[in-house]
Amino acid sequence: MTYFYHAVLDSPHLPRELEHDSTQNMVVALLGEFWSYSPTLAVPSAAIVELLKRMDISDVAARAALSRLARRGTLVVSRAGRNTSYSLAEDVAATIPASETLTMTFGQAERDWNGEWTVIVFSMPETQRDRRQALREWLRWLGFGPARDGVWISPHADVALMETKLTGLLPADGLIFKSSQMVGEINPFEVWPLAEIREIYKTFIEELRPIVYRLRAGMVSPADALKISLTILAKWRGFPTVDPDLPQASLPADWPRREARRLFTEVYDECTPLAEIHVKNVISKHDRECAARVRGLTVQETIEHYKHAAALVR
């Protein structure tokens, strides 16, 4: 199974990046964040290993991660003499625009909601327990919550997309529909694990605040900035996969997503130019042409970059 740039685009059985800053995730993020994909671009393995070493990842672990990613088809290997280089596979690179747009815009503004719920209704016998559990995992992954036994709801899910994603899991007599008519009340904290999500946000906020102070005091080196930027990006990228992005009226007034986004944006934007300097310096020792193509983008620059790219495709 290929690792897609943003796990939510592929499968709930892939590691959630909110919980993972694994070496493999770091490699993919490094290649995806500091270079625009090109079939002619390949980054020397020695340079990747050196960059990862500055992030406290051993040479052995770095090379093992590169080999595993290549075997899985996530990376493409190229060789020139004794030199080995890696690039993202084309199908992985194709998922980057949607992933980056989702990640960088998440929490930017409250999503409009017209009052319609997407509703999925199903019933499965005990003999299909595994299939039922797999369906529940997918529904959680896609932002649904169980309003009642066998009745799952989401404020934003697209019916056509759900039909595609749930093929083979939803029983033949299952239903997917939209409705704005509802009698009774729904307690969001009972339908979604909002208390747990709140704690995850609060932990993220507590991790970022000391980094903000260090950045303002000029106490973050370019090498540190690279590690910080990739680590917090991996964690922020996980939030759209666990936060159902409920309408504001369904959330408590002190919901911490806005503060988490504010701090993520500040830290990421401050670290990006420092990290770019570090990546260029390391890469230039191995491949000057590759180093010249290094470019780190801030949160807003990333949003604009992929918006512009989408406009050109249309």
Side-chain angles (χ1 to χ4, degrees):
M1 179 185 292
T2 299
Y3 176 106
F4 278 70
Y5 196 68
H6 196 303
V8 73
L9 301 179
D10 188 28
S11 165
H13 304 295
L14 290 175
R16 290 194 175 191
E17 297 191 54
L18 185 63
E19 303 165 355
H20 279 255
D21 56 357
S22 72
T23 303
Q24 291 183 54
N25 284 350
M26 287 295 212
V27 169
V28 175
L30 175 66
L31 297 178
E33 295 303 315
F34 289 94
W35 286 273
S36 293
Y37 172 75
S38 167
T40 64
L41 172 70
V43 182
S45 62
I48 297 173
V49 170
E50 183 175 345
L51 286 168
L52 293 175
K53 189 172 185 178
R54 304 288 183 90
M55 293 188 279
D56 303 319
I57 297 171
S58 70
D59 292 7
V60 172
R63 294 189 186 282
L66 289 168
S67 296
R68 291 192 189 102
L69 288 167
R71 287 197 299 270
R72 292 169 63 185
T74 304
L75 299 182
V76 175
V77 186
S78 57
R79 293 183 173 85
R82 299 177 61 184
N83 298 320
T84 302
S85 298
Y86 291 90
S87 58
L88 291 176
E90 186 176 359
D91 59 345
V92 176
T95 71
I96 290 179
S99 170
E100 291 288 69
T101 300
L102 172 63
T103 300
M104 298 306 190
T105 61
F106 182 71
Q108 185 179 39
E110 301 301 331
R111 293 178 66 176
D112 292 333
W113 187 52
N114 62 5
E116 281 193 332
W117 295 95
T118 301
V119 184
I120 296 181
V121 182
F122 63 90
S123 177
M124 292 188 194
E126 190 62 21
T127 54
Q128 297 185 39
R129 182 189 305 173
D130 291 345
R131 180 183 177 188
R132 183 176 61 200
Q133 183 58 31
L135 176 56
R136 287 171 175 170
E137 288 177 1
W138 260 110
L139 290 172
R140 281 287 189 200
W141 183 260
L142 295 167
F144 282 80
R148 299 292 185 272
D149 186 33
V151 180
W152 291 65
I153 61 173
S154 167
H156 301 300
D158 178 75
V159 171
L161 178 62
M162 293 308 101
E163 184 180 9
T164 300
K165 288 290 186 183
L166 301 178
T167 298
L169 289 175
L170 192 68
D173 60 354
L175 299 175
I176 305 176
F177 60 92
K178 282 186 172 291
S179 176
S180 59
Q181 305 297 316
M182 183 179 296
V183 177
E185 294 186 359
I186 291 175
N187 182 345
F189 278 82
E190 294 179 356
V191 178
W192 291 274
L194 297 185
E196 180 184 348
I197 295 169
R198 185 207 294 270
E199 289 305 310
I200 297 172
Y201 272 126
K202 289 172 67 175
T203 299
F204 185 65
I205 289 169
E206 289 167 4
E207 290 175 355
L208 290 186
R209 280 183 175 146
I211 300 174
V212 169
Y213 300 142
R214 288 173 56 201
L215 283 164
R216 291 175 180 175
M219 297 172 61
V220 174
S221 69
D224 287 341
L226 176 62
K227 182 177 181 179
I228 290 169
S229 65
L230 294 183
T231 300
I232 68 167
L233 177 62
K235 292 183 178 181
W236 182 253
R237 184 174 284 138
F239 281 112
T241 73
V242 296
D243 184 340
D245 199 9
L246 299 178
Q248 189 63 37
S250 299
L251 293 170
D254 62 346
W255 188 243
R257 181 175 58 213
R258 183 176 299 176
E259 177 65 2
R261 178 183 169 83
R262 184 187 71 80
L263 290 173
F264 163 72
T265 301
E266 180 174 350
V267 172
Y268 190 81
D269 286 358
E270 290 294 326
C271 283
T272 293
L274 293 172
E276 180 183 306
I277 291 170
H278 176 60
V279 173
K280 281 184 175 179
N281 287 341
V282 172
I283 297 295
S284 64
K285 294 187 292 184
H286 301 269
D287 187 327
R288 291 185 178 276
E289 182 180 348
C290 186
R293 297 168 72 171
V294 171
R295 186 188 176 196
L297 301 177
T298 65
V299 170
Q300 190 57 41
E301 286 171 344
T302 302
I303 294 171
E304 294 300 324
H305 173 77
Y306 288 106
K307 184 187 295 184
H308 179 67
L312 290 178
V313 170
R314 289 196 297 268

